[in-house]
């Protein structure tokens, strides 16, 4: 089922907005002008509200020569700081841990999430 969760202009680039979709708490991350990802607001470790954690760019490369991964962000859980790649929902330290993801897209200036 497709849910309209709001006007794209209300979603800050590089940030997360937590919305309620069909009774579930979902974090919508706007990683670029018209690229959004949606993750369940629940950490797979012990169930913290993951999307209330720190959000930042995915940094790649060597120390001293670090570059930002295009169109991706990392969210760090507020409880024990596990970090997850927003585009895949997978933990950086071990990809077998993953947050539930939902399809999200921009349609005519609106953000749409599928459950
Ligand atoms: S509950 Fe998220 S890292 Fe522990």
């Amino acid at each position: 089922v497709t849910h309209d969760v709001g006007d794209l202009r209300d979603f800050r680039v590089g940030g997360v907005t937590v919305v309620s979709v069909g009774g579930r708490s979902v974090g919508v991350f706007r990683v670029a002008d018209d690229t959004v990802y949606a993750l369940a607001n629940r950490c797979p470790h012990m169930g913290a509200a993951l999307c209330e954690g720190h959000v930042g760019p995915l940094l790649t490369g060597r120390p001293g020569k670090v570059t930002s991964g295009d169109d991706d962000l990392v969210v760090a859980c507020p409880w024990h700081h596990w970090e997850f790649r927003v585009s895949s929902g997978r933990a950086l330290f071990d990809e077998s841990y993953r947050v539930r993801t939902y399809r999200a897209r921009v349609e005519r200036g609106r953000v749409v999430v599928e459950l």
Side-chain angles (χ1 to χ4, degrees):
V1 185
T2 298
H3 297 263
D4 180 324
V5 297
D7 189 320
L8 179 65
R9 289 172 295 192
D10 294 333
F11 294 78
R12 183 173 64 80
V13 176
V16 59
T17 304
V18 175
V19 296
S20 178
V21 189
R24 297 180 214 196
S25 182
V26 173
V28 176
F29 295 80
R30 186 176 178 191
V31 303
D33 271 353
D34 53 7
T35 306
V36 290
Y37 294 105
L39 298 184
N41 188 17
R42 186 171 197 286
C43 182
H45 179 215
M46 291 178 68
L50 175 67
C51 301
E52 287 163 20
H54 178 263
V55 178
L58 173 65
L59 300 175
T60 56
R62 299 174 271 130
K65 198 165 176 26
V66 174
T67 52
S68 172
D70 284 343
D71 287 6
D72 209 348
L73 291 170
V74 169
V75 59
C77 180
W79 282 7
H80 314 102
H81 310 288
W82 287 17
E83 293 177 297
F84 298 88
R85 192 188 281 261
V86 160
S87 61
S88 65
R90 293 184 186 275
L92 291 188
F93 78 100
D94 182 342
E95 297 211 331
S96 63
Y97 290 99
R98 61 181 307 186
V99 188
R100 177 153 199 185
T101 57
Y102 301 100
R103 281 173 197 263
R105 62 183 181 276
V106 176
E107 264 181 26
R108 292 181 299 277
R110 306 291 298 180
V111 177
V112 169
V113 173
E114 276 178 40
L115 291 194

